[in-house]
Amino acid sequence: MQLLDGKFVSEKIKQDIAVEAADFLSETGRKPHLVAILVGNDGGSETYVASKMKNCEKVGFQSSLIRYDLTATEEELLGKVREINQDPGVDGLIVQLPLPKHIDPEKVTEAIDHRKDVDGFHPVNLGRMMRNLPCFIPATPYGIMLMLEAYQIDTTGKHCVVVGRSNIVGSPMSILMARNATPGNCTVSLTHSRTANLKDMTLQGDIIIAAIGKKNFITADMVKPGAIVIDVGMNRETSTQTKSGYKLYGDVDFNNVAPISSWITPVPGGVGLMTIIGLLKNTLASAKKEIYK
Ligand code: GUN
């Protein structure tokens, strides 16, 4: 078993991003700028957004966090999104999900100018991704592709079993792994909570991408010996053992799956750190007008 080390790869890529951000600053007189909107104070969202902001500063980007409390209206939020769309000093805009129930995430996602949609959630970006056109790729799938690339994992002709069909991870991941590209060129099975005989499916996976949101869901008996296992799980539980008061668990039973896998991502220290890289790379590409002129 070998570790796909998100810490190592993300730090290396951040160094490259920082060099490009410094060049951008000397050429334009400004830094790439990411704005994040956070509604409410869900513990997980607080942590993830804080990490996004901190990493922006680390690589020499400007970052702004706009907060709303839980009582904010959909109209208020949409108004702010439209205002930021018009601001030439902002390159990327993300609205952290989930949103409170009275705000429709689809409306908010579609309100973001697709040219600033560095989360890659807007239908224009998803549609362009389907067609293999330049676009912002959703940050987590993008980060996973960068990880596979960094370790030069040969994916061509492999059977990739994606577990979970979310808009944020599973669905875009299935498209990327099937694309005629490197990494890519997989035969993909997109499985989910209603898949019959899930274990029969995962046992066929040369690559398993677990994005189902359930702690230790993928057990050793579900994994073919020698498989490559990518764990997207971010299952947060309160803990008395950590300084933060929380402990993070993946979707994969790491202790038992790791010994039979060829490559595996740890949680924490795997995909989560790569998600930030996807977001930073999209923000830089937006600032440099590499995707949309
Ligand atoms: N919630 C969980 N993952 C994400 C993400 O990648 N972007 C945003 N905006 N919200 C999320």
Side-chain angles (χ1 to χ4, degrees):
M1 179 274 290
Q2 285 177 282
L3 267 195
L4 293 162
D5 184 344
K7 178 99 186 122
F8 176 77
V9 175
S10 66
E11 290 301 328
K12 167 94 186 53
I13 298 179
K14 269 191 263 180
Q15 287 172 12
D16 299 340
I17 295 172
V19 170
E20 285 194 64
D23 289 347
F24 182 81
L25 175 60
S26 60
E27 280 160 25
T28 66
R30 71 178 190 90
K31 297 175 175 181
H33 185 190
L34 175 69
V35 174
I37 298 180
L38 177 60
V39 184
N41 33 31
D42 169 76
S45 294
E46 288 273 0
T47 309
Y48 307 141
V49 169
S51 174
K52 289 171 187 180
M53 300 288 98
K54 190 180 81 186
N55 278 287
C56 278
E57 302 299 327
K58 267 196 196 159
V59 297
F61 290 7
Q62 186 183 346
S63 68
S64 308
L65 173 57
I66 300 174
R67 285 176 165 278
Y68 286 94
D69 60 33
L70 271 177
T71 56
T73 65
E74 187 175 272
E75 234 356 273
E76 249 179 294
L77 193 56
L78 291 172
K80 180 53 82 176
V81 166
R82 291 185 198 112
E83 183 190 315
I84 297 168
N85 284 344
Q86 301 298 323
D87 184 344
V90 176
D91 303 295
L93 169 60
I94 62 170
V95 177
Q96 188 66 24
L97 304 174
L99 287 166
K101 282 198 183 64
H102 64 277
I103 300 178
D104 180 356
E106 301 301 333
K107 266 196 203 163
V108 174
T109 300
E110 289 204 38
I112 296 173
D113 185 330
H114 67 273
R115 292 164 299 185
K116 295 189 180 185
D117 167 42
V118 288
D119 256 335
F121 295 166
H122 191 284
V124 169
N125 281 311
L126 289 174
R128 290 177 67 90
M129 185 181 74
M130 283 287 301
R131 299 187 65 96
N132 226 346
L133 295 168
C135 64
F136 296 119
I137 293 170
T140 299
Y142 188 13
I144 293 170
M145 299 309 269
L146 291 167
M147 174 93 101
L148 293 170
E149 195 180 296
Y151 282 93
Q152 298 182 327
I153 303 286
D154 182 13
T155 59
T156 298
K158 300 237 162 81
H159 185 185
C160 176
V161 178
V162 180
V163 186
R165 58 181 156 185
S166 69
N167 286 325
I168 294 182
V169 184
S171 295
M173 203 65 236
S174 69
I175 291 159
L176 290 170
M177 292 303 276
R179 285 206 306 196
N180 184 0
T182 306
N185 282 316
C186 284
T187 304
V188 175
S189 297
L190 179 56
T191 69
H192 45 77
S193 55
R194 304 290 180 92
T195 296
N197 307 319
L198 180 65
K199 182 176 161 183
D200 294 345
M201 296 298 306
T202 57
L203 276 171
Q204 291 175 42
D206 303 308
I207 303 171
I208 296 176
I209 301 180
I212 192 96
K214 290 189 181 134
K215 176 184 168 185
N216 296 344
F217 182 81
I218 303 290
T219 46
D221 58 318
M222 297 169 78
V223 178
K224 178 164 78 172
I228 297 158
V229 181
I230 310 286
D231 190 349
V232 187
M234 295 276 255
N235 305 295
R236 227 166 156 258
E237 287 189 1
T238 49
S239 165
T240 52
Q241 294 160 9
T242 60
K243 241 195 306 178
S244 65
Y246 291 94
K247 195 163 163 24
L248 209 56
Y249 294 89
D251 288 352
V252 175
D253 175 10
F254 184 90
N255 289 341
N256 293 307
V257 171
I260 60 166
S261 66
S262 58
W263 293 91
I264 189 166
T265 62
V267 175
V271 171
L273 299 173
M274 295 306 296
T275 294
I276 306 260
I277 298 299
L279 181 65
L280 294 175
K281 281 185 79 88
N282 278 341
T283 304
L284 183 65
S286 179
K288 293 170 87 171
K289 304 254 179 292
E290 285 175 353
I291 312 280
Y292 299 107
K293 307 296 165 210

